[in-house]
Structure formats: structure tokens, C-alpha cells
Amino acid sequence: MSLANQVAVITGGARGIGREIALAFAKAGADLALFDVNPQQLEQTAQELRALGRRAEGLVVDVTDGKQVDDGVAKVLDKLGRIDILINNAGITKDGLLIRMDDAQWDRVLNINLKGTFLCTRAVAKHMLKQRRGRIVSIASIVGLIGNPGQANYAASKAGIIGLTKSVAKELASRGITCNAIAPGFIKTEMTDALPPEAKQRLMDAIPMGTLGEPRDVAEAALFLVSDAARYVTGHVLVVDGGLAM
Ligand code: NAP
């Protein structure tokens, strides 16, 4: 699946699943712009991408801030010339049972996961509409489909991403722009490393394939959705979970 001569913006691209998607896209020939908040980590990943022979910009952009997002998109257009692909991947958890969840826990998760996805999608869509071509993929979660105790905020943000994806897919389909979501199950990253060993074991027991996923499982799904192989796929939620949510 070649992405030669294409430019992809990946939010939260400095580490974890976002970094893995960036590496997969670079290997497929794309140039990359990463939006993230940690400058050292951003530069380290941008260097890895340049070592693969690609152009790569690591930009400090907090996705909750509309001005930073708009300025970031303008910088990408200035430095890399175009944007063909947006991956909305930046996301956090701040878990707690409903009756103990405070407003700040709710607001932070909804702001980064859902509002950040809206702000980046809106900024990039303006450019893609002029281009009459584009691919938008947002990283949701199976938790947005099936819920999870202790994650009301996270589940609501990820279910929101799915509604946003389908609405944007309907708005932009006639302009050559597809908009899809990926719903990963439990993937080995720093986010899931934080789980206690007993919780991890319980999860593995519930996963029909018997193991956590790897970031590259999500990266391969993203590569499919942005490739020409998926040119007729829009408004879809691709579940990548070893069978957990079925
Ligand atoms: P991760 O390792 O924590 O990486 C998330 C990245 O997003 C980090 O680089 C983080 O920066 C960055 N970020 C956080 N807030 C940001 C903001 N306001 N603006 C820009 N960037 C920001 O997480 P991950 O496990 O790779 O998860 C990536 C995505 O997949 C998330 O949306 C997550 O919800 C989703 N997902 C993950 C799993 C899983 O099992 N891991 C399952 C389903 C869905 P810092 O390093 O500075 O925090």
C-alpha cells in the first residue's frame, strides 16, 4: 500500500500507537507531521522518521487549543505543501467510578479525546475540501462501543468520536474525503502498562485470541483505511481487539 507523495498529520504521534502509525506510513512512503505536547519525544520520533528517508515535522500542538491546531495546520501546509491524511490519535484516560469522578476528570478527557478530534478534523477538512481528496481516521476504542466501569468519561469521549466520524463521513463523502474510525481493544502501550497485573490477566482471559494487541496491529488497520484499497469505505468503525467486543 503506497503512500508516496502524500502528507499525513498524526496527533499524539510522538509515542505509543501514534508513533507506530507514523513509522508504518513513513515505510509506505508518506511524509509526516506530528502534533504532540512533549518536545523531546516529538523530536526523537521525527528523527526516526527522517532516518527512513522521509520529511518529518514534530510540532508542539495541544489539540485542545483551536488556535494552536489552526497554526499547526498552517505550518504543515507551509513546510510540507499539502495534507492528504489526518489521524486523530491523541487521547488520555483519567479513570474513576462515576460517583467519585470530578468535573476536571470529565472535562480533561472530553477536551483532549473528543474536542481535540473535532478541532483537528475541522482545521484539516477545510484544506481537504479545496483539494477534493482526503482521508481522516480517528482512534476510538471498543470502550466507546461496549462501555467499561470506571471509564464513563473515556467511553463517552470515544462514543462521541464514533458519532462525529459518521456525521463528518456523510458531510464530506461527495467531496472525495473518507472519514473512518478504528476501535482498538487492549493494546500494549504505556497506557495499558499502568494496569495492575491482576486486571491485565482478567483482560487476557476475556480476549478470545488470548493476548493483548500490539501498536502495529492498529497501525496496519490505519494503513488500510488511508490507502486506495479502502477508497469506497467511509463512516466505518474498524474493531481491532482480538475478538473481545464481539
Ligand atoms: P499514549 O502512549 O499515552 O500516547 C498518547 C500520545 O498523545 C502521547 O504522546 C501524549 O503526549 C499525546 N497527547 C496527550 N495529550 C495531548 C494533547 N492535548 N495534544 C496533543 N497530544 C497529546 O497512548 P496510546 O496507548 O498510544 O493511545 C493512543 C490512542 O489510542 C488514544 O486515543 C487512546 O485512547 C487510543 N486507544 C488506546 C488503547 C490501548 O490499549 N493503548 C486502546 C484503545 C484506544 P504525552 O506523552 O506528553 O502525554
Side-chain angles (χ1 to χ4, degrees):
M1 290 181 195
S2 171
L3 300 181
N5 303 318
Q6 297 195 40
V7 174
V9 173
I10 304 180
T11 73
R15 66 182 176 92
I17 291 170
R19 172 180 165 275
E20 199 68 24
I21 295 173
L23 290 168
F25 285 11
K27 286 177 193 155
D31 292 326
L32 277 311
L34 310 177
F35 289 181
D36 211 306
V37 285
N38 179 327
Q40 288 81 24
Q41 190 68 54
L42 259 175
E43 190 43 37
Q44 194 178 315
T45 305
Q47 272 177 19
E48 286 181 81
L49 298 168
R50 288 184 207 117
L52 292 169
R54 307 265 66 91
R55 292 187 295 164
E57 297 290 334
L59 302 172
V60 176
V61 174
D62 179 340
V63 296
T64 65
D65 182 325
K67 174 146 178 18
Q68 287 188 35
V69 169
D70 290 346
D71 289 350
V73 167
K75 266 189 211 148
V76 179
L77 291 172
D78 182 44
K79 287 174 188 263
L80 300 177
R82 52 188 294 119
I83 299 174
D84 303 280
I85 298 164
L86 168 66
I87 307 293
N88 288 305
N89 164 81
I92 62 158
T93 52
K94 284 206 179 294
D95 298 350
L97 292 173
L98 175 74
I99 56 169
R100 294 204 199 105
M101 186 174 289
D102 61 32
D103 294 15
Q105 262 171 301
W106 175 270
D107 289 345
R108 190 74 186 133
V109 169
L110 269 289
N111 271 335
I112 294 180
N113 298 10
L114 184 55
K115 189 177 178 195
T117 298
F118 158 67
L119 291 173
C120 293
T121 302
R122 184 178 65 182
V124 168
K126 284 180 189 160
H127 166 72
M128 287 178 174
L129 278 167
K130 286 190 207 135
Q131 214 171 250
R132 294 190 85 82
R133 195 190 173 282
R135 294 273 190 273
I136 300 167
V137 175
S138 300
I139 310 301
S141 166
I142 55 159
V143 169
L145 294 169
I146 63 175
N148 201 23
Q151 291 198 308
N153 50 358
Y154 185 74
S157 74
K158 296 300 187 178
I161 286 178
I162 291 170
L164 173 65
T165 296
K166 293 185 181 197
S167 302
V168 172
K170 286 186 174 172
E171 278 189 37
L172 304 184
S174 64
R175 312 295 179 89
I177 300 166
T178 66
C179 186
N180 291 290
I182 297 174
F186 288 89
I187 309 294
K188 273 184 220 148
T189 65
E190 283 176 40
M191 195 180 256
T192 44
D193 280 349
L195 289 169
E198 323 79 68
K200 233 182 246 176
Q201 192 53 52
R202 264 201 313 278
L203 264 173
M204 304 250 242
D205 294 343
I207 298 172
M209 290 184 80
T211 175
L212 297 190
E214 300 282 346
R216 76 180 167 86
D217 295 316
V218 181
E220 295 291 344
L223 187 56
F224 165 67
L225 287 172
V226 304
S227 75
D228 275 350
R231 67 175 195 97
Y232 201 53
V233 179
T234 197
H236 185 67
V237 182
L238 180 51
V239 175
V240 179
D241 70 345
L244 180 58
M246 72 178 155

